[in-house]
Amino acid sequence: MAQLLSCANNIEDDVKVFREALQLCPPDHFRQSVCLYNLATSLHNKFRQRGVLSDLDEAIELHRAALLLRPPGHSGGSMSLNNLAASLQYRFEQRGVLSNLDEAIELH
């Protein structure tokens, strides 16, 4: 049980640290997509633990932004596509908006 509580607290720390890293990363920096991706992934994980839909919505926005910085052929492109699709699928499961599922399928 203590380990589960530790994980729950760590997700808040992860989100905070990745938010700070994103704020410190200039928009044109070559690591911008990584900062966006890390924060999006942490927010997605936080949503899975806590079920707060605004975390999932923000994760989707950030995954989209990271993907824009990862053109076809980029080494992190497939991970961005997969995680955006997974977040959209979770949102479909929560809200039942078919366009979220359609987009998830297209991205996969």
Side-chain angles (χ1 to χ4, degrees):
M1 180 68 172
Q3 185 178 15
L4 289 175
L5 289 175
S6 175
C7 289
N9 290 334
N10 286 339
I11 195 68
E12 292 292 339
D13 293 340
D14 288 350
V15 169
K16 181 181 176 186
V17 167
F18 288 131
R19 249 187 231 293
E20 290 171 2
L22 181 59
Q23 289 174 350
L24 294 172
C25 188
D28 58 347
H29 194 274
F30 75 100
R31 301 281 298 171
Q32 179 76 11
S33 68
V34 173
C35 291
L36 290 163
Y37 176 85
N38 287 340
L39 178 55
T41 301
S42 291
L43 285 163
H44 177 98
N45 291 336
K46 183 179 170 195
F47 162 75
R48 291 186 64 199
Q49 284 185 359
R50 309 257 168 95
V52 178
L53 284 171
S54 61
D55 290 331
L56 183 60
D57 291 338
E58 185 178 1
I60 289 169
E61 288 178 32
L62 294 167
H63 276 309
R64 287 188 197 284
L67 190 57
L68 288 174
L69 297 174
R70 295 177 170 187
H74 187 282
S75 62
S78 63
M79 288 187 320
S80 286
L81 286 168
N82 182 67
N83 286 358
L84 174 56
S87 293
L88 287 163
Q89 183 175 343
Y90 273 101
R91 188 160 71 180
F92 165 74
E93 291 169 2
Q94 296 298 311
R95 294 191 176 139
V97 177
L98 193 56
S99 61
N100 289 165
L101 182 60
D102 290 339
E103 186 178 0
I105 291 167
E106 185 180 316
L107 292 169
H108 276 299

